[in-house]
Amino acid sequence: MDPDVISAITGGSDPSQAPALDGKVTIQLRVDDSGRIEVNTPQGARELTLRPLAELYGAGTGRPTIDPEDEPFIPLFLAIEQTIVREDQKGPARLTDGGVALTLDRLAMNPEGDPGIDPLARHLQLELRLQLSLNDYSRQEVRGALRKIGKSVVRHTRLAGPRGYLSFIREYVGM
């Protein structure tokens, strides 16, 4: 976790002591492709740069399995899957399940590795940097989530063709 990002979002207070949001407080968070973020809260705006992925891994949740329905992992799985859907919705060159599977496999082996020219890998890494700034996940948990989603891609491709997973996840995530 990144205490600077958490401090910017909570207005400088210890996150465990931060007041509960009652729906009247709005926090806007903007992230650009280089990892610079702008946080707008009622206390004002702050700009920060997300730390590199390798610096953000924590001790993890301590859970024996990485289950997408286990509450601590929901933000991690949702962030990965929403990023895949957003990338699929960009421009005329849409993704295929095979391309998504290759990217997830590569990131599962080395999440902080060079994404090269793969825009999906670059955006997934950026989203992971944000999620790890806000949540305590270990490197092993991140790799496990990427592998689990990769298996889902393979399963849905077998059942419904070259865009089976992408069709499924678009409905599931609702974007």
Side-chain angles (χ1 to χ4, degrees):
M1 293 184 10
D2 187 340
D4 293 333
V5 173
I6 292 172
S7 174
I9 291 172
T10 62
S13 62
D14 177 353
S16 64
Q17 304 299 316
L21 300 179
D22 60 5
K24 297 177 186 171
V25 176
T26 301
I27 297 172
Q28 293 178 332
L29 184 67
R30 289 189 192 99
V31 182
D32 72 12
D33 282 349
S34 68
R36 286 190 309 267
I37 64 172
E38 180 182 321
V39 181
N40 290 308
T41 67
Q43 292 81 19
R46 248 180 107 183
E47 290 187 24
L48 302 155
T49 299
L50 294 172
R51 291 174 23 199
L53 197 53
E55 294 178 17
L56 292 168
Y57 296 117
T61 64
R63 305 282 173 132
T65 60
I66 300 160
D67 183 349
E69 294 182 17
D70 194 358
E71 192 169 333
F73 293 115
I74 291 173
L76 179 60
F77 280 91
L78 190 59
I80 294 167
E81 291 174 330
Q82 284 178 334
T83 301
I84 292 168
V85 170
R86 276 194 305 271
E87 281 301 304
D88 185 47
Q89 291 174 338
K90 289 181 180 177
R94 295 169 47 182
L95 298 173
T96 63
D97 288 1
V100 172
L102 287 172
T103 296
L104 291 171
D105 286 347
R106 193 170 50 138
L107 289 176
M109 286 188 284
N110 185 14
E112 59 280 342
D114 180 11
I117 61 169
D118 183 348
L120 177 59
R122 190 172 56 252
H123 288 114
L124 282 168
Q125 285 179 329
L126 185 61
E127 187 62 37
L128 289 171
R129 287 169 63 192
L130 179 59
Q131 287 304 310
L132 268 66
S133 293
L134 301 171
N135 299 287
D136 184 14
Y137 298 120
S138 68
R139 185 174 191 272
Q140 203 58 26
E141 289 170 337
V142 169
R143 292 179 66 218
L146 291 164
R147 277 194 301 272
K148 192 159 283 232
I149 293 170
K151 288 178 184 177
S152 179
V153 173
V154 170
R155 182 174 51 255
H156 283 91
T157 303
R158 260 188 271 138
L159 294 172
R163 289 188 46 84
Y165 170 78
L166 291 164
S167 297
F168 162 76
I169 201 63
R170 181 174 284 174
E171 279 185 43
Y172 182 76
V173 171
M175 292 177 71

